[in-house]
Amino acid sequence: MNSKEFTAALAEVRGVRDDIKAVRKQLAQLEADRDKRIRALGAYDKAKADRIAPAAGVSVGDVVALVPHLGPSATATGPDRPPLISLPAEDHDRPEEAVQAIPRQDGALAPDLRRTETPAADSNLESADTASPDDEPDQEPAPQTAAQDGTPAADTAVDEGQARELPSIPAGDPGDAWFAATPGLVSTRPNFTQQPRQMAFLDTATGVLVYRDQTVRLDLGSASVAEILTAVFAEVPDSVERLYITAGDPWHRDAARHAFLRDAVSAWLNAPVPGWQAESSRGKDRLAGHFVHERRPVGRWQRGSQHVEIRSVGEWFDPAGADPAMVRDAFVLLWKALHHHWSDVVLMGSPSQTGRDLWTRTIPAKPGSRWAEGYPVMSEEIRGLLHATGGQGRVELLTPPRVPEKLPQLLEYDRTFAYAKHTWSSGVGVPRRVTAQAFAAMSAKEQTNALFAPSHWQVRVTVPDGWEHVGILPAPVAGDRAWRYPNEPRHTFVTWASGAEINLALRNHIRPWRIEILDGLLWESGQPLRDWSSRLREAWNSLQSLAQMHADPRQRTAAHLASRAVRSILLYGIGGFAQRPRITTGSTPVGREQDVPDGAQIIGVDGETITWQRNTGFSRDPNAHPEWAVDLWGRARAALLSQRMRDDDVSVGALHLPPGTVVALRTDAIYTTHAAAWPYHGEPGDYLLKGRLPGPITGPRTEEELLALQALGRAHLAEEQEATQ
């Protein structure tokens, strides 16, 4: 594709975008008509919300919102109506429950951290390193008093009408009661070894199956679950319990027949499989039921005592055209690299499960050592608060007038194995509550120590006058777990943010933001993830070296894929600590709407089946530590903006680029028009130039356009690098 063809293709995409807008308008009209009909149905004296909801394809709560007098009915589930499919807590996001609005309240003004040294006790904290300016004055800040109630400056725009309101901690004793451990729930070192599962690898596009040293080609027909299981178990023993799909995505085979990709996946998983049934229960260390995901679903079936699950290898890494034998070799190399650090390592079904299992085997076990009795799990209220107020990676696309219409070029800088840099310290134990009054009563040193420690703060934020760069702190917007990053001068909003982000807002090298502390959670600093992360980092380094030096090109590729799997173990393992509320998913035949559980949300309807899901709250997971995930995500977001490379005496990140040159931020990557001469040593957290697309080019307006430019930029840079070799 040349520049002219690319421009023409962009025009075609914009045409599709306009068509989508028209369809959405039509959809809005249909939804309005549906709501009108729901209200009419609600006038019937025997109408019930749980009967109307599945017929209308909405939740019971949506019906009640339209027809309040129906009210929520009692739960109808029980022993005679079990959920058809159990959705395990895995690597993916979960919907959230309704939250309590943040009330207007006075705050305590945070000190100017640019006028203070890093606390000696916390000098090893990565968050302090992340936010370091180029120079640090050695004067101590003046202490704040309770009289400084944080009232915004005159003429400041205050955003109190946020589209999505975040929860707050109740005042007084009710809120203080949240700050406790969950009784009987502690993370402890396991006293057993996981049992390995035999696995096979299948490319459903070519029919190639690899099991150990055996390679065969199968006739899969239309690649339904029934056809796959029949063909595979004609060649491999019944002891194979895990089948990884390396290519072909058979769950998308009927995507054209469904309005949404999720519906196609659900239909594929729930299709009848003669002789098999959806797995309902196994040993306590095993998950059961299907997991419906648009691109990485998990299907679990059983036949008598035989069990098998079908998974996408994309959970571990992008195979990028690798054949099943190469994927098998990657798993072998992965196991060997991990076995060097964990003698009892077992590769489990997903990187999240593997990561959490390996972490439990690093929990201190020596009698008398700190946390030898285990890490306590916080109260369900605090966990719920963190789930609602702690975002993950920053995803932001900047468009005109914040960037030019025409970009001179587009460069992609990506942080290598970024999360491994942020695991050296984390909060441990039950947090201490720090209210606005308690913060104002602290000495200047105590305030500084609190803002450098692992913490999570409810704050009122004011963007400073003259601010011209990207925003620093997240603000909630409409949408499930959606955030924006305000940067308009004198704009004020209320939010929750990690200590690392608050630290950066107060210490950045441009100018400090006004931060008013409303409430906060403050943890003791510990190292619960350090040993785990260090071992994974060493395994990653060994595989990276093998990928560069092995004489066999196939083994080099396999080692590279294995190193990506190690990254996934750490990345998704950290996500696994978040342990979001459990979701139960099931299906009910059309015509039996009364069998849909109360409170369930309809997520798909075809001519024969209603698919639903229901939030069933938190499970009693002894390894639920959202405080670690939320803190680490906050540190990573802060480092995306500013990070100090001490050995090179240079600061890097989006805030160290000229204003108006940042086009997009995506978790670990910066897209910019400015060529940055940042050092790269291949260490975790270093910025690698991953793509370069010369201009002038029209800047992206949508995520799809950005990803298209990303692919072109990576291809162009690869061509440049090949030409210079």
Side-chain angles (χ1 to χ4, degrees):
M1 177 180 288
N2 55 36
S3 177
K4 183 176 180 181
E5 291 171 335
F6 176 73
T7 301
L10 281 181
E12 293 175 357
V13 170
R14 292 190 182 98
V16 174
R17 176 196 64 193
D18 293 339
D19 291 341
I20 292 173
K21 289 181 179 179
V23 172
R24 284 177 176 166
K25 181 178 180 180
Q26 183 181 8
L27 176 61
Q29 294 172 344
L30 290 172
E31 288 175 338
D33 180 56
R34 176 201 62 197
D35 293 348
K36 180 180 179 181
R37 294 174 185 273
I38 289 175
R39 292 188 185 96
L41 288 168
Y44 177 51
D45 58 357
K46 295 184 179 180
K48 293 184 178 180
D50 59 347
R51 293 291 306 278
I52 298 174
V58 297
S59 70
V60 171
D62 293 330
V63 174
V64 173
L66 293 168
V67 192
H69 75 268
L70 293 180
S73 57
T75 301
T77 54
D80 58 330
R81 292 174 60 189
L84 299 183
I85 304 173
S86 174
L87 176 62
E90 294 210 6
D91 313 335
H92 313 286
D93 286 344
R94 299 285 188 263
E96 293 183 1
E97 300 179 273
V99 296
Q100 173 186 349
I102 298 176
R104 175 76 184 193
Q105 62 188 90
D106 291 337
L109 191 63
D112 182 358
L113 293 187
R114 300 199 305 175
R115 296 171 56 82
T116 185
E117 293 285 353
T118 301
D122 296 312
S123 60
N124 66 327
L125 286 185
E126 183 278 329
S127 59
D129 184 27
T130 294
S132 294
D134 294 335
D135 58 298
E136 299 181 16
D138 56 6
Q139 302 177 33
E140 187 177 74
Q144 304 296 319
T145 66
Q148 293 174 293
D149 64 0
T151 303
D155 300 325
T156 298
V158 180
D159 181 6
E160 297 286 9
Q162 302 175 59
R164 179 168 60 92
E165 295 182 326
L166 298 179
S168 60
I169 305 172
D173 292 341
D176 293 342
W178 289 16
F179 290 77
T182 301
L185 209 55
V186 182
S187 302
T188 57
R189 195 182 188 104
N191 56 7
F192 65 93
T193 301
Q194 292 287 357
Q195 296 302 308
R197 310 284 183 258
Q198 292 191 41
M199 59 183 73
F201 304 89
L202 175 66
D203 181 336
T204 59
T206 63
V208 173
L209 172 72
V210 171
Y211 169 66
R212 294 187 175 179
D213 295 330
Q214 174 186 353
T215 300
V216 296
R217 188 178 295 273
L218 308 178
D219 180 1
L220 299 177
S222 62
S224 66
V225 174
E227 290 168 315
I228 289 174
L229 294 181
T230 299
V232 167
F233 283 106
E235 300 291 341
V236 304
D238 291 352
S239 56
V240 171
E241 295 188 58
R242 192 169 294 144
L243 180 63
Y244 282 111
I245 305 299
T246 64
D249 296 342
W251 36 82
H252 293 162
R253 66 190 188 112
D254 289 331
R257 295 177 51 202
H258 298 270
F260 301 100
L261 202 57
R262 185 185 182 93
D263 294 343
V265 174
S266 179
W268 186 83
L269 289 171
N270 288 296
V273 185
W276 296 80
Q277 63 183 34
E279 189 175 59
S280 57
S281 64
R282 305 180 75 178
K284 67 178 184 179
D285 65 328
R286 304 182 183 185
L287 296 169
H290 301 325
F291 181 84
V292 181
H293 186 274
E294 288 84 348
R295 302 191 183 279
R296 298 184 302 278
V298 180
R300 299 182 176 95
W301 294 268
Q302 64 184 66
R303 180 173 61 181
S305 61
Q306 182 184 359
H307 299 265
V308 66
E309 61 182 13
I310 297 179
R311 313 185 70 114
S312 169
V313 79
E315 293 182 84
W316 293 86
F317 49 74
D318 179 2
D323 58 58
M326 188 178 292
V327 172
R328 173 206 57 198
D329 291 347
F331 273 82
V332 171
L333 291 175
L334 171 64
W335 182 86
K336 289 181 178 179
L338 295 175
H339 185 260
H340 184 71
H341 302 282
W342 284 276
S343 60
D344 55 352
V345 61
V346 170
L347 297 181
M348 302 180 72
S350 73
S352 172
Q353 296 164 358
T354 304
R356 279 175 289 173
D357 180 67
L358 293 178
W359 171 75
T360 62
R361 299 174 193 282
T362 65
I363 296 175
K366 184 178 179 181
S369 62
R370 185 68 165 137
W371 307 111
E373 296 181 357
Y375 294 102
V377 174
M378 293 179 301
S379 69
E380 187 168 318
E381 291 83 0
I382 290 294
R383 282 182 279 153
L385 176 76
L386 292 172
H387 291 316
T389 61
Q392 297 187 23
R394 178 170 179 168
V395 178
E396 183 179 23
L397 177 63
L398 288 79
T399 56
R402 296 180 67 181
V403 296
E405 290 279 353
K406 290 288 186 179
L407 307 181
Q409 61 178 342
L410 185 64
L411 301 102
E412 176 190 4
Y413 292 94
D414 185 74
R415 297 184 71 219
T416 298
F417 203 17
Y419 281 12
K421 185 175 177 64
H422 306 298
T423 54
W424 302 115
S425 66
S426 302
V428 288
V430 176
R432 175 165 65 96
R433 184 178 188 180
V434 182
T435 63
Q437 293 76 17
F439 188 85
M442 289 179 174
S443 68
K445 182 177 181 180
E446 289 172 331
Q447 289 182 342
T448 299
N449 287 341
L451 292 173
F452 273 93
S455 51
H456 193 62
W457 301 95
Q458 183 188 33
V459 291
R460 183 178 293 112
V461 183
T462 301
V463 183
D465 280 335
W467 187 263
E468 298 178 343
H469 224 300
V470 298
I472 294 179
L473 296 176
V477 294
D480 186 23
R481 302 183 61 78
W483 305 85
R484 70 184 184 96
Y485 296 82
N487 73 328
E488 304 86 359
R490 303 178 70 80
H491 179 78
T492 295
F493 58 99
V494 174
T495 191
W496 284 85
S498 70
E501 292 171 290
I502 300 298
N503 202 298
L504 176 60
L506 293 168
R507 300 181 75 213
N508 74 85
H509 66 286
I510 301 174
R511 56 177 53 87
W513 288 35
R514 181 186 179 89
I515 304 294
E516 305 162 51
I517 302 298
L518 304 179
D519 216 333
L521 293 81
L522 182 64
W523 283 270
E524 175 186 343
S525 182
Q527 298 176 342
L529 305 177
R530 187 167 187 169
D531 185 22
W532 173 70
S533 175
S534 295
R535 297 189 199 186
L536 289 176
R537 178 174 174 173
E538 290 174 10
W540 177 79
N541 278 329
S542 67
L543 290 167
Q544 285 283 93
S545 298
L546 193 63
Q548 295 172 2
M549 297 185 299
H550 201 288
D552 184 349
R554 286 183 60 85
Q555 288 297 299
R556 288 200 299 270
T557 300
H560 171 71
L561 295 178
S563 73
R564 299 297 293 173
V566 173
R567 174 186 178 274
S568 294
I569 288 173
L570 186 136
L571 177 68
Y572 293 123
I574 289 167
F577 288 123
Q579 194 255 327
R580 302 204 176 280
R582 190 175 179 86
I583 304 298
T584 297
T585 301
S587 58
T588 300
V590 170
R592 296 189 58 84
E593 287 84 354
Q594 69 274 12
D595 290 342
V596 176
D598 288 351
Q601 178 185 7
I602 307 301
I603 60 175
V605 180
D606 59 22
E608 300 178 354
T609 304
I610 300 169
T611 304
W612 49 264
Q613 69 178 19
R614 183 178 54 161
N615 188 327
T616 57
F618 292 97
S619 63
R620 285 186 59 82
D621 183 353
N623 298 322
H625 292 285
E627 68 274 22
W628 299 342
V630 168
D631 181 65
L632 190 144
W633 292 333
R635 293 180 186 226
R637 290 193 301 269
L640 189 65
L641 301 180
S642 182
Q643 174 180 288
R644 185 72 175 169
M645 301 181 70
R646 295 191 184 278
D647 292 342
D648 297 283
D649 192 26
V650 63
S651 293
V652 299
L655 289 181
H656 300 279
L657 297 168
T661 65
V662 177
V663 177
L665 299 164
R666 287 180 60 83
T667 307
D668 299 331
I670 300 173
Y671 298 82
T672 176
T673 60
H674 180 78
W678 292 339
Y680 182 74
H681 307 294
E683 293 296 316
D686 288 0
Y687 278 96
L688 171 68
L689 177 62
K690 208 165 184 179
R692 189 180 79 83
L693 186 63
I697 55 176
T698 300
R701 301 293 186 273
T702 65
E703 181 181 22
E704 291 76 13
E705 291 182 4
L706 175 65
L707 295 178
L709 294 177
Q710 175 200 75
L712 291 172
R714 291 181 178 181
H716 181 84
L717 180 63
E719 292 176 359
E720 286 185 335
Q721 292 172 339
E722 288 179 3
T724 58
Q725 290 178 354

